[in-house]
mmCIF file of all heavy atoms in Angstrom:
data_model
loop_
_atom_site.group_PDB
_atom_site.id
_atom_site.type_symbol
_atom_site.label_atom_id
_atom_site.label_comp_id
_atom_site.label_asym_id
_atom_site.label_seq_id
_atom_site.Cartn_x
_atom_site.Cartn_y
_atom_site.Cartn_z
ATOM 1 N N LEU A 1 -51.979 23.334 -95.593
ATOM 2 C CA LEU A 1 -53.313 23.247 -96.160
ATOM 3 C C LEU A 1 -54.212 24.306 -95.501
ATOM 4 O O LEU A 1 -54.324 24.282 -94.221
ATOM 5 C CB LEU A 1 -53.872 21.867 -95.926
ATOM 6 C CG LEU A 1 -55.263 21.535 -96.595
ATOM 7 C CD1 LEU A 1 -55.161 21.707 -98.109
ATOM 8 C CD2 LEU A 1 -55.751 20.241 -96.207
ATOM 9 N N PRO A 2 -54.806 25.132 -96.321
ATOM 10 C CA PRO A 2 -55.639 26.232 -95.742
ATOM 11 C C PRO A 2 -56.830 25.592 -95.023
ATOM 12 O O PRO A 2 -57.362 24.523 -95.396
ATOM 13 C CB PRO A 2 -56.099 26.992 -96.892
ATOM 14 C CG PRO A 2 -55.106 26.753 -97.989
ATOM 15 C CD PRO A 2 -54.624 25.416 -97.773
ATOM 16 N N ASP A 3 -57.364 26.168 -93.968
ATOM 17 C CA ASP A 3 -58.453 25.713 -93.186
ATOM 18 C C ASP A 3 -59.709 25.700 -94.128
ATOM 19 O O ASP A 3 -60.618 24.853 -94.091
ATOM 20 C CB ASP A 3 -58.739 26.496 -91.973
ATOM 21 C CG ASP A 3 -57.685 26.285 -90.873
ATOM 22 O OD1 ASP A 3 -57.234 25.220 -90.875
ATOM 23 O OD2 ASP A 3 -57.425 27.271 -90.093
ATOM 24 N N SER A 4 -59.777 26.685 -95.064
ATOM 25 C CA SER A 4 -60.888 26.851 -96.009
ATOM 26 C C SER A 4 -60.453 27.757 -97.045
ATOM 27 O O SER A 4 -59.520 28.433 -96.951
ATOM 28 C CB SER A 4 -62.102 27.376 -95.158
ATOM 29 O OG SER A 4 -61.948 28.692 -94.702
ATOM 30 N N PHE A 5 -61.334 27.850 -97.981
ATOM 31 C CA PHE A 5 -61.197 28.753 -99.160
ATOM 32 C C PHE A 5 -62.340 29.664 -99.253
ATOM 33 O O PHE A 5 -63.470 29.202 -99.017
ATOM 34 C CB PHE A 5 -61.039 27.965 -100.477
ATOM 35 C CG PHE A 5 -59.866 26.974 -100.485
ATOM 36 C CD1 PHE A 5 -60.008 25.634 -100.249
ATOM 37 C CD2 PHE A 5 -58.522 27.544 -100.809
ATOM 38 C CE1 PHE A 5 -58.925 24.780 -100.277
ATOM 39 C CE2 PHE A 5 -57.443 26.651 -100.808
ATOM 40 C CZ PHE A 5 -57.645 25.232 -100.565
ATOM 41 N N GLU A 6 -62.136 30.862 -99.533
ATOM 42 C CA GLU A 6 -63.233 31.819 -99.646
ATOM 43 C C GLU A 6 -64.096 31.578 -100.838
ATOM 44 O O GLU A 6 -65.317 31.810 -100.888
ATOM 45 C CB GLU A 6 -62.778 33.268 -99.607
ATOM 46 C CG GLU A 6 -62.164 33.660 -98.409
ATOM 47 C CD GLU A 6 -61.739 35.181 -98.316
ATOM 48 O OE1 GLU A 6 -62.296 35.979 -99.074
ATOM 49 O OE2 GLU A 6 -60.892 35.472 -97.482
ATOM 50 N N THR A 7 -63.538 31.076 -101.988
ATOM 51 C CA THR A 7 -64.253 30.888 -103.193
ATOM 52 C C THR A 7 -63.799 29.562 -103.893
ATOM 53 O O THR A 7 -62.718 29.071 -103.479
ATOM 54 C CB THR A 7 -63.997 32.056 -104.218
ATOM 55 O OG1 THR A 7 -62.663 31.996 -104.625
ATOM 56 C CG2 THR A 7 -64.386 33.375 -103.691
ATOM 57 N N GLU A 8 -64.584 29.070 -104.788
ATOM 58 C CA GLU A 8 -64.152 27.931 -105.476
ATOM 59 C C GLU A 8 -63.015 28.136 -106.348
ATOM 60 O O GLU A 8 -62.130 27.320 -106.562
ATOM 61 C CB GLU A 8 -65.324 27.419 -106.358
ATOM 62 C CG GLU A 8 -66.457 26.853 -105.709
ATOM 63 C CD GLU A 8 -67.684 26.321 -106.531
ATOM 64 O OE1 GLU A 8 -67.556 26.440 -107.833
ATOM 65 O OE2 GLU A 8 -68.714 26.083 -106.015
ATOM 66 N N GLU A 9 -62.849 29.405 -106.856
ATOM 67 C CA GLU A 9 -61.708 29.784 -107.651
ATOM 68 C C GLU A 9 -60.442 29.656 -106.835
ATOM 69 O O GLU A 9 -59.366 29.294 -107.330
ATOM 70 C CB GLU A 9 -61.846 31.234 -108.138
ATOM 71 C CG GLU A 9 -62.945 31.378 -109.340
ATOM 72 C CD GLU A 9 -64.397 31.362 -108.757
ATOM 73 O OE1 GLU A 9 -64.663 31.492 -107.664
ATOM 74 O OE2 GLU A 9 -65.294 31.041 -109.601
ATOM 75 N N GLN A 10 -60.479 30.114 -105.613
ATOM 76 C CA GLN A 10 -59.280 30.076 -104.711
ATOM 77 C C GLN A 10 -58.967 28.629 -104.498
ATOM 78 O O GLN A 10 -57.715 28.148 -104.510
ATOM 79 C CB GLN A 10 -59.508 30.779 -103.352
ATOM 80 C CG GLN A 10 -59.420 32.235 -103.470
ATOM 81 C CD GLN A 10 -59.612 32.929 -102.090
ATOM 82 O OE1 GLN A 10 -59.983 32.287 -101.189
ATOM 83 N NE2 GLN A 10 -59.242 34.137 -101.988
ATOM 84 N N ALA A 11 -59.916 27.745 -104.317
ATOM 85 C CA ALA A 11 -59.617 26.395 -104.097
ATOM 86 C C ALA A 11 -58.982 25.779 -105.385
ATOM 87 O O ALA A 11 -58.015 25.012 -105.227
ATOM 88 C CB ALA A 11 -60.922 25.598 -103.777
ATOM 89 N N GLY A 12 -59.559 26.065 -106.487
ATOM 90 C CA GLY A 12 -59.050 25.631 -107.732
ATOM 91 C C GLY A 12 -57.588 26.050 -107.999
ATOM 92 O O GLY A 12 -56.840 25.237 -108.402
ATOM 93 N N GLU A 13 -57.350 27.320 -107.696
ATOM 94 C CA GLU A 13 -55.974 27.886 -107.847
ATOM 95 C C GLU A 13 -54.930 27.068 -106.903
ATOM 96 O O GLU A 13 -53.931 26.854 -107.353
ATOM 97 C CB GLU A 13 -55.922 29.351 -107.508
ATOM 98 C CG GLU A 13 -56.575 30.203 -108.649
ATOM 99 C CD GLU A 13 -56.715 31.763 -108.236
ATOM 100 O OE1 GLU A 13 -56.157 32.134 -107.151
ATOM 101 O OE2 GLU A 13 -57.363 32.417 -108.997
ATOM 102 N N PHE A 14 -55.432 26.841 -105.693
ATOM 103 C CA PHE A 14 -54.516 26.082 -104.863
ATOM 104 C C PHE A 14 -54.234 24.706 -105.395
ATOM 105 O O PHE A 14 -53.104 24.260 -105.411
ATOM 106 C CB PHE A 14 -55.155 25.927 -103.414
ATOM 107 C CG PHE A 14 -54.323 25.254 -102.357
ATOM 108 C CD1 PHE A 14 -53.308 25.868 -101.711
ATOM 109 C CD2 PHE A 14 -54.552 23.941 -102.227
ATOM 110 C CE1 PHE A 14 -52.460 25.177 -100.830
ATOM 111 C CE2 PHE A 14 -53.768 23.145 -101.318
ATOM 112 C CZ PHE A 14 -52.777 23.858 -100.597
ATOM 113 N N TRP A 15 -55.306 23.974 -105.716
ATOM 114 C CA TRP A 15 -55.157 22.549 -106.165
ATOM 115 C C TRP A 15 -54.564 22.434 -107.524
ATOM 116 O O TRP A 15 -54.025 21.356 -107.863
ATOM 117 C CB TRP A 15 -56.448 21.844 -106.029
ATOM 118 C CG TRP A 15 -56.876 21.581 -104.535
ATOM 119 C CD1 TRP A 15 -57.875 22.202 -104.007
ATOM 120 C CD2 TRP A 15 -56.086 20.947 -103.633
ATOM 121 N NE1 TRP A 15 -57.897 21.701 -102.592
ATOM 122 C CE2 TRP A 15 -56.677 20.962 -102.420
ATOM 123 C CE3 TRP A 15 -54.796 20.114 -103.640
ATOM 124 C CZ2 TRP A 15 -56.233 20.358 -101.203
ATOM 125 C CZ3 TRP A 15 -54.434 19.449 -102.487
ATOM 126 C CH2 TRP A 15 -55.120 19.640 -101.434
ATOM 127 N N ASP A 16 -54.490 23.576 -108.242
ATOM 128 C CA ASP A 16 -53.916 23.534 -109.614
ATOM 129 C C ASP A 16 -52.349 23.502 -109.380
ATOM 130 O O ASP A 16 -51.603 23.043 -110.301
ATOM 131 C CB ASP A 16 -54.234 24.828 -110.479
ATOM 132 C CG ASP A 16 -55.504 24.722 -111.146
ATOM 133 O OD1 ASP A 16 -56.070 23.621 -111.187
ATOM 134 O OD2 ASP A 16 -56.071 25.809 -111.517
ATOM 135 N N THR A 17 -51.896 23.920 -108.274
ATOM 136 C CA THR A 17 -50.491 24.009 -108.024
ATOM 137 C C THR A 17 -49.984 23.118 -106.915
ATOM 138 O O THR A 17 -48.812 23.173 -106.466
ATOM 139 C CB THR A 17 -50.041 25.554 -107.676
ATOM 140 O OG1 THR A 17 -50.754 25.911 -106.487
ATOM 141 C CG2 THR A 17 -50.349 26.352 -108.935
ATOM 142 N N HIS A 18 -50.846 22.329 -106.344
ATOM 143 C CA HIS A 18 -50.452 21.408 -105.234
ATOM 144 C C HIS A 18 -51.091 20.038 -105.452
ATOM 145 O O HIS A 18 -52.120 19.928 -106.243
ATOM 146 C CB HIS A 18 -51.019 21.925 -103.983
ATOM 147 C CG HIS A 18 -50.528 23.230 -103.540
ATOM 148 N ND1 HIS A 18 -50.929 24.458 -104.045
ATOM 149 C CD2 HIS A 18 -49.583 23.467 -102.588
ATOM 150 C CE1 HIS A 18 -50.174 25.432 -103.452
ATOM 151 N NE2 HIS A 18 -49.386 24.884 -102.599
ATOM 152 N N SER A 19 -50.386 18.993 -104.964
ATOM 153 C CA SER A 19 -50.845 17.596 -105.174
ATOM 154 C C SER A 19 -51.578 17.111 -103.947
ATOM 155 O O SER A 19 -51.138 17.246 -102.769
ATOM 156 C CB SER A 19 -49.633 16.765 -105.455
ATOM 157 O OG SER A 19 -50.006 15.379 -105.502
ATOM 158 N N THR A 20 -52.716 16.373 -104.150
ATOM 159 C CA THR A 20 -53.351 15.818 -103.073
ATOM 160 C C THR A 20 -52.498 14.799 -102.313
ATOM 161 O O THR A 20 -52.638 14.383 -101.192
ATOM 162 C CB THR A 20 -54.636 15.168 -103.408
ATOM 163 O OG1 THR A 20 -54.364 14.194 -104.461
ATOM 164 C CG2 THR A 20 -55.732 16.155 -103.856
ATOM 165 N N MET A 21 -51.538 14.211 -103.168
ATOM 166 C CA MET A 21 -50.621 13.251 -102.546
ATOM 167 C C MET A 21 -49.751 13.780 -101.419
ATOM 168 O O MET A 21 -49.356 12.980 -100.495
ATOM 169 C CB MET A 21 -49.703 12.531 -103.658
ATOM 170 C CG MET A 21 -50.473 11.866 -104.653
ATOM 171 S SD MET A 21 -51.544 10.649 -104.108
ATOM 172 C CE MET A 21 -50.448 9.495 -103.396
ATOM 173 N N ASP A 22 -49.615 15.086 -101.356
ATOM 174 C CA ASP A 22 -48.824 15.761 -100.386
ATOM 175 C C ASP A 22 -49.691 15.951 -99.076
ATOM 176 O O ASP A 22 -49.135 16.423 -97.965
ATOM 177 C CB ASP A 22 -48.351 17.187 -100.802
ATOM 178 C CG ASP A 22 -47.128 16.910 -101.870
ATOM 179 O OD1 ASP A 22 -46.537 15.816 -101.894
ATOM 180 O OD2 ASP A 22 -47.042 17.851 -102.746
ATOM 181 N N TYR A 23 -50.992 15.748 -99.203
ATOM 182 C CA TYR A 23 -51.899 16.034 -98.058
ATOM 183 C C TYR A 23 -52.696 14.794 -97.643
ATOM 184 O O TYR A 23 -53.851 15.022 -97.174
ATOM 185 C CB TYR A 23 -52.859 17.166 -98.392
ATOM 186 C CG TYR A 23 -51.964 18.446 -98.843
ATOM 187 C CD1 TYR A 23 -51.598 18.688 -100.007
ATOM 188 C CD2 TYR A 23 -51.683 19.441 -97.806
ATOM 189 C CE1 TYR A 23 -50.954 19.849 -100.390
ATOM 190 C CE2 TYR A 23 -50.936 20.457 -98.040
ATOM 191 C CZ TYR A 23 -50.511 20.751 -99.315
ATOM 192 O OH TYR A 23 -49.784 21.841 -99.541
ATOM 193 N N GLN A 24 -52.162 13.659 -97.879
ATOM 194 C CA GLN A 24 -52.856 12.380 -97.632
ATOM 195 C C GLN A 24 -53.362 12.247 -96.215
ATOM 196 O O GLN A 24 -54.492 11.702 -95.971
ATOM 197 C CB GLN A 24 -52.019 11.187 -97.936
ATOM 198 C CG GLN A 24 -51.822 10.996 -99.467
ATOM 199 C CD GLN A 24 -51.074 9.807 -99.809
ATOM 200 O OE1 GLN A 24 -51.415 8.716 -99.323
ATOM 201 N NE2 GLN A 24 -50.023 9.940 -100.558
ATOM 202 N N GLU A 25 -52.660 12.874 -95.264
ATOM 203 C CA GLU A 25 -53.082 12.774 -93.872
ATOM 204 C C GLU A 25 -54.462 13.461 -93.572
ATOM 205 O O GLU A 25 -55.107 13.228 -92.557
ATOM 206 C CB GLU A 25 -51.958 13.386 -92.964
ATOM 207 C CG GLU A 25 -51.844 14.861 -93.159
ATOM 208 C CD GLU A 25 -50.379 15.498 -92.869
ATOM 209 O OE1 GLU A 25 -49.614 14.876 -93.588
ATOM 210 O OE2 GLU A 25 -50.312 16.278 -91.974
ATOM 211 N N TYR A 26 -54.843 14.444 -94.440
ATOM 212 C CA TYR A 26 -56.110 15.092 -94.331
ATOM 213 C C TYR A 26 -57.291 14.370 -95.067
ATOM 214 O O TYR A 26 -58.403 14.812 -94.808
ATOM 215 C CB TYR A 26 -55.907 16.503 -94.831
ATOM 216 C CG TYR A 26 -54.830 17.312 -94.097
ATOM 217 C CD1 TYR A 26 -53.602 17.485 -94.661
ATOM 218 C CD2 TYR A 26 -55.204 17.845 -92.792
ATOM 219 C CE1 TYR A 26 -52.609 18.272 -94.047
ATOM 220 C CE2 TYR A 26 -54.120 18.523 -92.136
ATOM 221 C CZ TYR A 26 -52.874 18.786 -92.720
ATOM 222 O OH TYR A 26 -51.960 19.468 -92.086
ATOM 223 N N LEU A 27 -56.999 13.415 -95.910
ATOM 224 C CA LEU A 27 -57.992 12.723 -96.693
ATOM 225 C C LEU A 27 -58.753 11.786 -95.820
ATOM 226 O O LEU A 27 -58.212 11.155 -94.844
ATOM 227 C CB LEU A 27 -57.341 12.111 -97.853
ATOM 228 C CG LEU A 27 -56.676 13.077 -98.881
ATOM 229 C CD1 LEU A 27 -56.072 12.129 -99.960
ATOM 230 C CD2 LEU A 27 -57.483 14.076 -99.450
ATOM 231 N N GLN A 28 -60.063 11.730 -96.094
ATOM 232 C CA GLN A 28 -60.868 10.788 -95.326
ATOM 233 C C GLN A 28 -61.673 9.865 -96.393
ATOM 234 O O GLN A 28 -62.183 10.441 -97.370
ATOM 235 C CB GLN A 28 -61.944 11.456 -94.501
ATOM 236 C CG GLN A 28 -61.323 12.304 -93.362
ATOM 237 C CD GLN A 28 -62.337 13.114 -92.592
ATOM 238 O OE1 GLN A 28 -63.484 13.044 -92.863
ATOM 239 N NE2 GLN A 28 -61.779 13.911 -91.721
ATOM 240 N N PRO A 29 -61.757 8.594 -96.042
ATOM 241 C CA PRO A 29 -62.452 7.716 -97.008
ATOM 242 C C PRO A 29 -64.011 8.190 -97.041
ATOM 243 O O PRO A 29 -64.547 8.694 -96.064
ATOM 244 C CB PRO A 29 -62.447 6.348 -96.421
ATOM 245 C CG PRO A 29 -61.672 6.426 -95.195
ATOM 246 C CD PRO A 29 -61.270 7.906 -94.932
ATOM 247 N N THR A 30 -64.606 7.973 -98.155
ATOM 248 C CA THR A 30 -66.118 8.289 -98.302
ATOM 249 C C THR A 30 -66.705 7.270 -99.215
ATOM 250 O O THR A 30 -66.132 6.555 -99.916
ATOM 251 C CB THR A 30 -66.149 9.719 -98.900
ATOM 252 O OG1 THR A 30 -67.602 9.937 -99.094
ATOM 253 C CG2 THR A 30 -65.572 9.808 -100.227
ATOM 254 N N ASP A 31 -68.017 7.098 -99.017
ATOM 255 C CA ASP A 31 -68.862 6.221 -99.852
ATOM 256 C C ASP A 31 -69.602 7.004 -100.802
ATOM 257 O O ASP A 31 -70.437 6.417 -101.579
ATOM 258 C CB ASP A 31 -69.873 5.476 -98.963
ATOM 259 C CG ASP A 31 -69.244 4.512 -98.038
ATOM 260 O OD1 ASP A 31 -68.149 3.858 -98.380
ATOM 261 O OD2 ASP A 31 -69.654 4.259 -96.905
ATOM 262 N N ASP A 32 -69.237 8.310 -101.050
ATOM 263 C CA ASP A 32 -69.893 9.160 -102.064
ATOM 264 C C ASP A 32 -69.686 8.591 -103.462
ATOM 265 O O ASP A 32 -68.636 8.040 -103.798
ATOM 266 C CB ASP A 32 -69.378 10.536 -102.019
ATOM 267 C CG ASP A 32 -69.768 11.224 -100.730
ATOM 268 O OD1 ASP A 32 -70.713 10.774 -100.008
ATOM 269 O OD2 ASP A 32 -69.176 12.386 -100.463
ATOM 270 N N THR A 33 -70.736 8.745 -104.290
ATOM 271 C CA THR A 33 -70.597 8.318 -105.692
ATOM 272 C C THR A 33 -70.764 9.497 -106.493
ATOM 273 O O THR A 33 -71.620 10.373 -106.219
ATOM 274 C CB THR A 33 -71.709 7.343 -106.037
ATOM 275 O OG1 THR A 33 -71.634 6.195 -105.225
ATOM 276 C CG2 THR A 33 -71.602 6.837 -107.466
ATOM 277 N N ILE A 34 -69.822 9.684 -107.512
ATOM 278 C CA ILE A 34 -69.839 10.894 -108.428
ATOM 279 C C ILE A 34 -70.516 10.395 -109.702
ATOM 280 O O ILE A 34 -69.976 9.442 -110.375
ATOM 281 C CB ILE A 34 -68.436 11.449 -108.637
ATOM 282 C CG1 ILE A 34 -67.856 11.941 -107.320
ATOM 283 C CG2 ILE A 34 -68.523 12.496 -109.711
ATOM 284 C CD1 ILE A 34 -66.426 12.326 -107.447
ATOM 285 N N GLU A 35 -71.578 11.000 -110.072
ATOM 286 C CA GLU A 35 -72.254 10.727 -111.227
ATOM 287 C C GLU A 35 -71.792 11.685 -112.320
ATOM 288 O O GLU A 35 -71.908 12.954 -112.183
ATOM 289 C CB GLU A 35 -73.775 10.922 -111.079
ATOM 290 C CG GLU A 35 -74.422 9.809 -110.145
ATOM 291 C CD GLU A 35 -74.412 8.374 -110.690
ATOM 292 O OE1 GLU A 35 -74.418 8.256 -111.923
ATOM 293 O OE2 GLU A 35 -74.366 7.523 -109.841
ATOM 294 N N ILE A 36 -71.307 11.183 -113.437
ATOM 295 C CA ILE A 36 -70.787 12.086 -114.494
ATOM 296 C C ILE A 36 -72.007 12.280 -115.494
ATOM 297 O O ILE A 36 -72.457 11.248 -116.035
ATOM 298 C CB ILE A 36 -69.551 11.460 -115.263
ATOM 299 C CG1 ILE A 36 -68.423 11.312 -114.263
ATOM 300 C CG2 ILE A 36 -69.231 12.328 -116.419
ATOM 301 C CD1 ILE A 36 -67.262 10.632 -114.770
ATOM 302 N N SER A 37 -72.598 13.387 -115.551
ATOM 303 C CA SER A 37 -73.771 13.723 -116.282
ATOM 304 C C SER A 37 -73.464 14.166 -117.683
ATOM 305 O O SER A 37 -74.297 14.219 -118.506
ATOM 306 C CB SER A 37 -74.725 14.575 -115.615
ATOM 307 O OG SER A 37 -74.143 15.873 -115.305
ATOM 308 N N GLU A 38 -72.234 14.727 -117.925
ATOM 309 C CA GLU A 38 -71.878 15.278 -119.178
ATOM 310 C C GLU A 38 -70.408 15.029 -119.453
ATOM 311 O O GLU A 38 -69.621 15.124 -118.605
ATOM 312 C CB GLU A 38 -72.244 16.869 -119.118
ATOM 313 C CG GLU A 38 -71.957 17.539 -120.392
ATOM 314 C CD GLU A 38 -72.260 18.955 -120.264
ATOM 315 O OE1 GLU A 38 -73.320 19.361 -119.699
ATOM 316 O OE2 GLU A 38 -71.419 19.858 -120.754
ATOM 317 N N ARG A 39 -70.160 14.841 -120.690
ATOM 318 C CA ARG A 39 -68.820 14.506 -121.209
ATOM 319 C C ARG A 39 -68.485 15.686 -122.044
ATOM 320 O O ARG A 39 -69.240 16.263 -122.784
ATOM 321 C CB ARG A 39 -68.630 13.237 -121.864
ATOM 322 C CG ARG A 39 -68.758 12.107 -120.888
ATOM 323 C CD ARG A 39 -68.726 10.753 -121.578
ATOM 324 N NE ARG A 39 -67.295 10.539 -122.083
ATOM 325 C CZ ARG A 39 -67.003 9.496 -122.835
ATOM 326 N NH1 ARG A 39 -67.873 8.524 -123.121
ATOM 327 N NH2 ARG A 39 -65.813 9.393 -123.320
ATOM 328 N N VAL A 40 -67.113 16.040 -122.072
ATOM 329 C CA VAL A 40 -66.609 17.190 -122.995
ATOM 330 C C VAL A 40 -65.536 16.429 -123.771
ATOM 331 O O VAL A 40 -64.648 15.715 -123.240
ATOM 332 C CB VAL A 40 -66.134 18.311 -122.097
ATOM 333 C CG1 VAL A 40 -65.468 19.317 -122.968
ATOM 334 C CG2 VAL A 40 -67.227 18.848 -121.233
ATOM 335 N N PHE A 41 -65.570 16.772 -124.991
ATOM 336 C CA PHE A 41 -64.498 16.313 -125.959
ATOM 337 C C PHE A 41 -63.638 17.413 -126.544
ATOM 338 O O PHE A 41 -64.144 18.511 -126.745
ATOM 339 C CB PHE A 41 -65.166 15.466 -127.100
ATOM 340 C CG PHE A 41 -66.022 14.333 -126.574
ATOM 341 C CD1 PHE A 41 -67.266 14.470 -126.213
ATOM 342 C CD2 PHE A 41 -65.383 13.047 -126.399
ATOM 343 C CE1 PHE A 41 -68.049 13.371 -125.711
ATOM 344 C CE2 PHE A 41 -66.149 12.008 -125.868
ATOM 345 C CZ PHE A 41 -67.550 12.178 -125.591
ATOM 346 N N GLU A 42 -62.541 17.057 -126.764
ATOM 347 C CA GLU A 42 -61.569 17.989 -127.539
ATOM 348 C C GLU A 42 -61.586 17.705 -129.003
ATOM 349 O O GLU A 42 -61.634 16.598 -129.376
ATOM 350 C CB GLU A 42 -60.162 17.902 -127.019
ATOM 351 C CG GLU A 42 -59.919 18.346 -125.649
ATOM 352 C CD GLU A 42 -58.499 18.345 -125.160
ATOM 353 O OE1 GLU A 42 -57.540 18.315 -126.100
ATOM 354 O OE2 GLU A 42 -58.183 18.314 -123.937
ATOM 355 N N VAL A 43 -61.580 18.785 -129.831
ATOM 356 C CA VAL A 43 -61.543 18.646 -131.254
ATOM 357 C C VAL A 43 -60.431 19.495 -131.772
ATOM 358 O O VAL A 43 -60.327 20.620 -131.361
ATOM 359 C CB VAL A 43 -62.912 18.940 -131.920
ATOM 360 C CG1 VAL A 43 -62.904 18.928 -133.343
ATOM 361 C CG2 VAL A 43 -64.001 18.156 -131.285
#
């Protein structure tokens, strides 16, 4: 797991090809709430 990513694009490219399940030891619980403000639909 890289220490950091230079850009959001680099982070996205990494996580597009890797599973968080392989890095569970680095995950930390959080009380953060994610508010979904916009939905996108496929047509």
Side-chain angles (χ1 to χ4, degrees):
L1 182 64
D3 291 330
S4 64
F5 299 99
E6 289 185 27
T7 65
E8 290 180 6
E9 288 77 18
Q10 282 183 345
E13 288 171 8
F14 180 85
W15 291 115
D16 281 347
T17 58
H18 296 79
S19 171
T20 55
M21 297 307 293
D22 292 333
Y23 300 92
Q24 290 184 51
E25 68 210 60
Y26 300 101
L27 301 178
Q28 298 176 2
T30 180
D31 291 327
D32 292 346
T33 302
I34 298 173
E35 296 291 332
I36 299 174
S37 60
E38 185 177 313
R39 293 178 65 184
V40 177
F41 299 89
E42 290 185 24
V43 177

